[in-house]
Amino acid sequence: MSDAVTYILDKVMLTNEAIQKRVSEIAEMIRNDFAGEEVVLTGVLKGAAIFMSDLARYIGLDMDVTMDYIAVSSYGNSSASSGVVKIIKDMDTYAEGKNVILVEDIMDTGLTLSYLRELFAARNPRNFKTCVLLEKPERKKVDAVLDYKGFTIPDKFVVGYGLDYAGKWRHLKDIWCMTQK
Ligand code: IMP
Ligand code: MG
């Protein structure tokens, strides 16, 4: 018998309705903070793709928005973030002088975001903000600054609304907890 652990969907942690309400509130904060300016929403692939698409649409007509993407992977042990991030695909936009808002699905240890903040600082953007849908404070290893945050969640593995387990479940409208089978 295989002793490999399998995970199955357990229950809904955040409904799509609750997510939409919060994403529209974050869009409102961004509109207030950057009124009359241009922002470059920069999504961390693939997890932030769905969140960023909704966020961009809630920002709406009032602002000058462009959308770009970055893909990263952590070096070494894939399940434990090492804090050293490899850029698989960089953004196409030249960040210097721009208002860059980095959009991420979840902050777990915070290593990925603190690494990206340093990397972007060297690019001299006009402003650099982080926008994260979920934060798991119990797992935090470094104090990465979150400028915009959706929800604080307990230390549970979650999927849906862009978040995956082994590449699956990103397409779910709600955010679900996983449990061991
Ligand atoms: P960290 O903050 O550097 O530890 O890593 C954050 C990354 O870990 C996120 O971008 C996700 O890809 C992944 N991650 C952490 N927790 C979860 C989860 O509960 N579900 C899905 N992905 C997760
Ligand atoms: Mg990710």
Side-chain angles (χ1 to χ4, degrees):
M1 216 177 84
S2 160
D3 51 356
V5 180
T6 9
Y7 289 90
I8 51 164
L9 295 178
D10 186 13
K11 53 177 181 280
V12 172
M13 181 186 276
L14 294 164
T15 63
N16 188 260
E17 195 187 4
I19 297 167
Q20 294 300 323
K21 179 171 179 285
R22 188 65 189 137
V23 176
S24 68
E25 289 166 0
I26 297 171
E28 180 67 31
M29 290 181 229
I30 292 174
R31 274 207 304 270
N32 289 333
D33 293 351
F34 292 96
E37 292 186 56
E38 184 191 328
V39 296
V40 185
L41 296 179
T42 306
V44 183
L45 291 173
K46 302 169 184 166
I50 290 179
F51 170 37
M52 194 166 97
S53 328
D54 280 342
L55 181 68
R57 284 176 288 187
Y58 282 118
I59 292 174
L61 282 173
D62 301 351
M63 269 182 70
D64 199 348
V65 175
T66 58
M67 293 164 78
D68 207 334
Y69 300 91
I70 185 168
V72 301
S73 82
S74 41
Y75 276 112
N77 184 343
S78 58
S79 61
S81 197
S82 61
V84 183
V85 171
K86 182 177 167 192
I87 307 290
I88 307 290
K89 181 223 173 288
D90 208 336
M91 66 196 291
D92 300 328
T93 315
Y94 190 57
E96 186 166 344
K98 299 279 168 61
N99 295 314
V100 176
I101 302 181
L102 189 77
V103 183
E104 246 286 50
D105 52 0
I106 185 165
M107 185 174 98
D108 189 31
T109 62
L111 291 164
T112 306
L113 272 179
S114 60
Y115 182 89
L116 289 174
R117 184 177 283 277
E118 266 180 46
L119 179 111
F120 274 90
R123 296 179 174 185
N124 300 313
R126 177 178 164 84
N127 267 294
F128 178 78
K129 302 282 185 199
T130 50
C131 176
V132 175
L133 183 65
L134 305 174
E135 182 196 11
K136 281 185 198 171
E138 291 164 53
R139 301 253 314 160
K140 198 191 286 188
K141 282 191 186 156
V142 288
D143 245 333
V145 183
L146 298 185
D147 300 296
Y148 305 102
K149 181 176 70 179
F151 301 91
T152 301
I153 62 162
D155 185 12
K156 295 255 165 61
F157 197 84
V158 290
V159 295
Y161 197 70
L163 292 117
D164 74 307
Y165 170 65
K168 287 169 66 176
W169 309 120
R170 293 190 199 278
H171 62 296
L172 305 178
K173 282 189 157 187
D174 305 311
I175 292 178
W176 291 70
C177 297
M178 306 285 289
T179 190
Q180 285 186 17
K181 198 176 169 183

